[in-house]
């Protein structure tokens, strides 16, 4: 391998230390988020001193676009955290293997050296010559058998030593490859974080332009839009078809989510004091003994899909075409979810947002 014991040990320790740094909050990596839409990224003109209903609807639409874009970037950020945890664990395991492999290699070298010294003491003479020079031929023959056994053991020792050296080389290559992924991911994750903060900052700035009464009217408008969507969804008669009882694990997930009502939304959070949307659903199901993917997009991709009319409490409803939001269905047409920055975990209508589909963690 061309690397001494101290070099490998130092490298292993360095890898562990570096992984600790990269695995810390704010140092994981993510896939780049999608490009902001023109609506979400456009500059918003100042509001008139007294905003009309039309003005407030424009603000509501703009805020919805900004928070949606932040949610997409948050999903990418969360995916980064999950990937970082796995890759960091792999690097730490590789470092452990390097240390253990180096110790094994040192032991094998010592044993091989002992075998070589033993052979040197015999003078390296052929067996025939040693037989002729021996004072006790029978004793020599007994010893010769042991020598042949020793030679075979030595060959096996050399083979094991070679394999151990090859393993160390491979461990080193694997660790280097994982390190490069972590370093590249760190940069893309930083970009995702910057994008989240930019969109949330723009939304907060937009809201700050409103007077107190206008903010109240905006909240009423947002509630009205959500209620209209919920009424339209219920108007399809969907609840007439939904009559499945929750599973044991589903009940546990609902109980967990219910206990979180009132806690703030914080992007990237998965409890216990705050949550984002998929942080809430993933932790709810973890509490029920069924770990699921961390992000809403991966929950949509990996979990079994269920027809809406077959859903039951505990199932997850995925929202928007890009699967950027998720909520826990709790029955009677309602969900518990972590909506967005500035809001808290709350009970809402299951049809208050555009439904992409339903998934079941314990299918």
């Amino acid at each position: 391998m061309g690397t001494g014991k101290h070099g490998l040990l130092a490298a292993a320790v360095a890898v562990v230390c570096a992984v600790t740094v990269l695995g810390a909050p704010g140092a994981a990596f993510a896939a780049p988020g999608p490009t902001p839409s023109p609506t979400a990224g456009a500059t918003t003109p100042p509001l008139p001193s007294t905003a009309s209903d039309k003005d407030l609807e424009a603000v509501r639409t703009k805020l919805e676009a900004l928070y949606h874009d932040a949610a997409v970037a948050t999903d990418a950020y969360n995916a980064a955290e999950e990937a970082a945890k796995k890759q960091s664990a792999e690097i730490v395991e590789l470092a452990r293997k390097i240390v253990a492999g180096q110790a094994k290699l040192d032991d094998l070298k010592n044993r091989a050296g002992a075998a070589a010294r033993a052979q040197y003491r015999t003078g390296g003479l052929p067996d025939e010559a040693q037989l002729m020079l021996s004072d006790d031929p029978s004793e020599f023959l007994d010893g010769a058998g042991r020598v042949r056994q020793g030679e075979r053991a030595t060959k096996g020792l050399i083979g094991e030593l070679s394999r151990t050296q090859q393993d160390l080389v491979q461990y080193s290559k694997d660790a280097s490859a994982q390190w490069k992924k972590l370093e590249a991911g760190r940069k893309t994750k930083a970009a995702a974080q910057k994008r989240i903060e930019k969109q949330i900052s723009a939304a907060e700035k937009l809201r700050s332009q409103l007077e107190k009464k206008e903010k109240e009217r905006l909240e009423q408008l947002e509630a009205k839009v959500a209620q209209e969507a919920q009424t339209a969804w219920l108007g399809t008669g969907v609840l007439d078809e939904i009559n499945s009882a929750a599973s044991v694990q589903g009940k546990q997930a609902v109980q967990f989510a219910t206990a979180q009502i009132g806690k703030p939304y914080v992007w990237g959070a998965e409890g216990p004091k705050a949550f984002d949307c998929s942080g809430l659903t993933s932790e709810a199901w973890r509490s029920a003994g069924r770990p699921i993917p961390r992000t809403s997009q991966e929950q949509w991709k990996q979990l079994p899909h269920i027809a809406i009319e077959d859903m039951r409490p505990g199932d997850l409803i995925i929202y928007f075409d890009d699967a950027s939001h998720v909520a826990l269905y709790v029955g009677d047409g309602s969900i518990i979810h972590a909506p967005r920055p500035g809001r808290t975990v709350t009970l809402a209508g299951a049809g208050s947002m555009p439904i992409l589909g339903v998934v079941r963690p314990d299918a």
Side-chain angles (χ1 to χ4, degrees):
M1 185 174 181
T3 304
K5 175 180 179 181
H6 295 296
L8 279 169
L9 289 174
V13 172
V15 166
V16 173
C17 292
V19 167
T20 302
V21 173
L22 285 180
F29 62 92
T35 303
S37 63
T39 301
T43 301
T44 304
L47 289 170
S49 56
T50 302
S52 65
D53 289 345
K54 184 178 180 181
D55 293 329
L56 287 178
E57 174 57 24
V59 170
R60 187 196 68 79
T61 302
K62 176 68 176 179
L63 286 172
E64 188 175 86
L66 288 169
Y67 283 127
H68 176 266
D69 195 61
V72 173
T74 298
D75 221 38
Y77 181 96
N78 291 336
E81 292 288 353
E82 285 299 287
K85 289 176 185 176
K86 292 179 181 178
Q87 290 183 331
S88 296
E90 288 175 3
I91 291 180
V92 170
E93 178 61 17
L94 286 167
R96 186 195 66 77
K97 289 181 177 180
I98 288 173
V99 173
Q102 183 62 58
K104 180 180 179 182
L105 185 63
D106 291 343
D107 178 63
L108 290 170
K109 286 181 177 179
N110 288 336
R111 289 163 58 191
R117 288 191 295 272
Q119 184 177 8
Y120 175 78
R121 285 194 296 269
T122 67
L125 295 174
D127 289 347
E128 295 84 352
Q130 292 188 49
L131 177 61
M132 292 177 65
L133 296 173
S134 175
D135 294 332
D136 187 343
S138 62
E139 182 180 349
F140 168 78
L141 291 174
D142 289 340
R146 290 192 296 272
V147 169
R148 284 192 292 272
Q149 291 176 356
E151 288 176 346
R152 287 194 294 268
T154 301
K155 289 181 180 179
L157 186 66
I158 293 173
E160 187 176 2
L161 191 149
S162 178
R163 288 190 296 272
T164 301
Q165 288 177 318
Q166 292 172 1
D167 287 343
L168 283 171
V169 170
Q170 189 59 51
Y171 294 155
S172 178
K173 289 180 179 179
D174 291 345
S176 177
Q178 292 290 356
W179 173 263
K180 289 179 181 178
K181 288 181 181 179
L182 279 174
E183 180 60 19
R186 181 189 64 77
K187 296 176 182 178
T188 54
K189 184 234 178 180
Q193 178 175 341
K194 183 177 180 181
R195 180 178 171 186
I196 294 168
E197 293 171 344
K198 178 180 179 181
Q199 299 305 96
I200 293 176
S201 177
E204 291 174 346
K205 181 178 180 180
L206 181 57
R207 288 183 65 87
S208 69
Q209 297 179 25
L210 298 174
E211 299 292 337
K212 181 179 179 181
K213 290 184 178 180
E214 290 170 337
K215 289 179 181 178
E216 293 174 351
R217 287 170 56 201
L218 176 62
E219 290 177 0
Q220 293 171 358
L221 177 60
E222 291 172 337
K224 178 183 176 183
V225 171
Q227 184 57 48
E228 288 175 348
Q230 172 73 353
T231 300
W233 182 69
L234 294 176
T236 64
V238 64
L239 283 188
D240 296 337
E241 303 292 332
I242 300 174
N243 54 18
S244 299
S247 66
V248 173
Q249 288 182 308
K251 289 179 181 178
Q252 293 173 339
V254 170
Q255 289 172 355
F256 178 92
T258 303
Q260 313 314 311
I261 289 177
K263 293 184 178 180
Y265 175 105
V266 174
W267 63 267
E270 48 189 332
K273 295 182 179 180
F275 296 89
D276 62 20
C277 68
S278 58
L280 176 64
T281 55
S282 61
E283 287 303 303
W285 273 99
R286 186 189 303 277
S287 75
R290 182 63 66 94
I292 62 175
R294 170 64 176 87
T295 71
S296 59
Q297 292 177 347
E298 288 304 310
Q299 289 169 6
W300 175 244
K301 288 179 183 177
Q302 296 185 35
L303 298 178
H305 291 201
I306 302 296
I308 291 179
E309 60 269 20
D310 294 330
M311 72 178 175
R312 64 193 186 194
D315 288 345
L316 306 182
I317 302 181
I318 309 296
Y319 292 96
F320 304 108
D321 290 343
D322 53 7
S324 58
H325 191 69
V326 60
L328 193 82
Y329 182 65
V330 296
D332 297 325
S334 298
I335 57 171
I336 291 177
H337 71 143
R340 62 169 173 78
R343 299 289 175 85
T344 61
V345 176
T346 188
L347 190 70
S352 58
M353 297 169 285
I355 295 176
L356 175 62
V358 180
V359 296
R360 178 167 295 166
D362 62 339

